[in-house]
Amino acid sequence: MDERVIGRSGQWASVIGLGTWQLGADWGDVDDKEALSVLEAAAESGVTFFDTADVYGDGRSEETIASFLRGRPDLHVLVATKMGRRVGQLPENYVLDNFRAWNDRSRRNLGVDRIDLIQLHCPPTPVYSSEAVFDALDTLVEEERVAAYGVSVETCAEALTAIARPNVASVQIILNPFRMKPLYEVLPAAREAGVGIIARVPLASGLLSGKYTRDTVFAANDHRSFNRHGEAFDQGETFSGVDYATGVEAAAEFAGLAPEGYTPAQLALRWIIEQEGVTTVIPGARNPEQARANAAAAKLPPLPPETSTAIRELYERRISDQVEHHW
């Protein structure tokens, strides 16, 4: 699989990576054997970038990745994790002592001395403007606790603030055919600054797979049940912030745009990696078949121009008014 450099870090990632939120929590139950099978399928399909966080299953996702990689010393996989959501979301909690403690825990979970890429995990907006926060992150690099750092953001404004920081290697942001606003300002600014873009929630929490209907019932411990209106965390993380009924209808239209040989999910992933400035996209997977199908999107032919035009028209007609003023 093709790889791209992650901005200023000098590190490389496969254009399609693997997001491992599903392997930790908030998507229903995934047992340990199945989680390891997902990681194996992704790696065997050419994926060299795993994204996780210290709160995914309270560390379970990090530990599962560590277990998998211990058994596969032949693989070179860059592992990015995130920190900052284990405490109250107050700017004063984002200090060096806490960073060191969170970093120590993640390094133990991952079984490494130095983390490849650490990311602030969608912190409160004022954190992005704090000199002390970024000085603390620089200290983690100087202490060789991390090789590089980036941020995960909710809004385009947060992304632009972070991109202006001289040592930010990457920005992780929601980008998919139902969330196009980053294309207009964030991606051009990142390209100019040499900052990598990690596209998350690429399938709009599964909507863009075309599998769901108005009658689909999600498990009680699945965020698609309990966070539709932002009850637990930012609403934009669930279905990209799109009203579910609208999203199901728009997703049915989207599925009809898939060229021959593409699934709707592969259409979404292919569209994302074709956007100039995207480094990698991190779909999740609940089983090996999904992991392999996601990775296969990297080898599909480029999208016809008329398909890209139709995707943008669908977004502008059905989705943009719902999401752009929020994020």
Side-chain angles (χ1 to χ4, degrees), residues 16-19 49 51 82 172 198-202 280-284:
I16 294 179
L18 178 71
F49 181 78
D51 178 85
K82 297 184 284 293
Q172 185 176 137
I198 301 169
R200 77 172 187 278
V201 195
T280 184
V281 59
I282 50 170

Side-chain angles (χ1 to χ4, degrees), residues 304-325:
E306 59 270 24
T307 301
S308 297
T309 298
I311 290 171
R312 185 176 293 270
E313 186 277 332
L314 172 61
Y315 170 77
E316 292 173 349
R317 176 167 47 85
R318 298 296 304 268
I319 304 296
S320 62
D321 286 346
Q322 280 202 21
V323 298
E324 291 204 356
H325 60 293

Side-chain angles (χ1 to χ4, degrees), residues 36-53:
L36 291 169
S37 296
V38 167
L39 296 172
E40 178 73 28
E44 291 299 320
S45 300
V47 170
T48 62
F49 181 78
F50 293 167
D51 178 85
T52 186

Side-chain angles (χ1 to χ4, degrees), residues 8 66 110 138 172 244 251 283:
R8 300 158 173 159
L110 290 167
D138 287 333
Q172 185 176 137
Y244 183 69

Side-chain angles (χ1 to χ4, degrees), residues 26-269:
D26 295 333
W27 293 81
D29 296 324
V30 177
D31 66 33
D32 291 341
K33 182 178 179 181
E34 189 82 337
L36 291 169
S37 296
V38 167
L39 296 172
E40 178 73 28
E44 291 299 320
S45 300
V47 170
T48 62
F49 181 78
F50 293 167
D51 178 85
T52 186
D54 58 2
V55 291
Y56 294 167
D58 195 28
R60 178 189 177 200
S61 177
E62 291 178 328
E63 292 171 342
T64 301
I65 289 171
S67 176
F68 169 70
L69 292 178
R70 278 195 301 272
R72 291 296 308 271
D74 56 306
L75 294 176
H76 173 70
V77 176
L78 190 150
V79 179
T81 192
K82 297 184 284 293
M83 65 179 184
R85 306 293 294 190
R86 295 178 56 77
V87 295
Q89 291 303 286
L90 303 171
E92 54 265 35
N93 284 329
Y94 285 77
V95 296
L96 180 57
D97 284 348
N98 282 344
F99 287 1
R100 284 175 172 147
W102 301 336
N103 176 261
D104 287 345
R105 184 177 186 272
S106 285
R107 288 188 296 135
R108 287 195 300 270
N109 287 346
L110 290 167
V112 299
D113 294 325
R114 183 172 69 169
I115 290 172
D116 296 323
L117 178 67
I118 193 72
Q119 303 158 95
L120 296 183
H121 197 173
C122 299
T125 298
V127 168
Y128 299 99
S129 300
S130 168
E131 296 287 344
V133 165
F134 290 91
D135 287 346
L137 291 168
D138 287 333
T139 298
L140 296 187
V141 175
E142 292 164 5
E143 295 176 347
E144 298 188 351
R145 293 167 168 270
V146 302
Y149 65 81
V151 297
S152 184
V153 304
E154 297 291 2
T155 70
C156 290
E158 291 170 346
L160 293 171
T161 301
I163 287 167
R165 294 283 171 177
N167 296 323
V168 167
S170 62
V171 168
Q172 185 176 137
I173 192 167
I174 297 175
L175 173 65
N176 62 53
F178 284 0
R179 184 75 79 83
M180 292 193 189
K181 187 177 177 181
L183 299 181
Y184 312 134
E185 293 182 353
V186 175
L187 267 61
R191 292 197 303 269
E192 184 175 349
V195 171
I197 292 291
I198 301 169
R200 77 172 187 278
V201 195
L203 304 182
S205 305
L207 272 180
L208 289 165
S209 70
K211 296 187 300 183
Y212 304 134
T213 70
R214 283 175 176 256
D215 299 324
T216 299
V217 177
F218 299 96
N221 61 346
D222 188 317
H223 73 103
R224 292 170 294 184
S225 288
F226 67 75
N227 193 60
R228 290 195 183 187
H229 304 288
E231 295 92 335
F233 40 81
D234 192 274
Q235 183 180 350
E237 300 288 345
T238 302
F239 302 127
S240 292
V242 178
D243 169 74
Y244 183 69
T246 300
V248 166
E249 293 175 0
E253 286 192 52
F254 179 81
L257 302 177
E260 185 176 355
Y262 288 73
T263 66
Q266 289 171 333
L267 171 60
L269 295 173

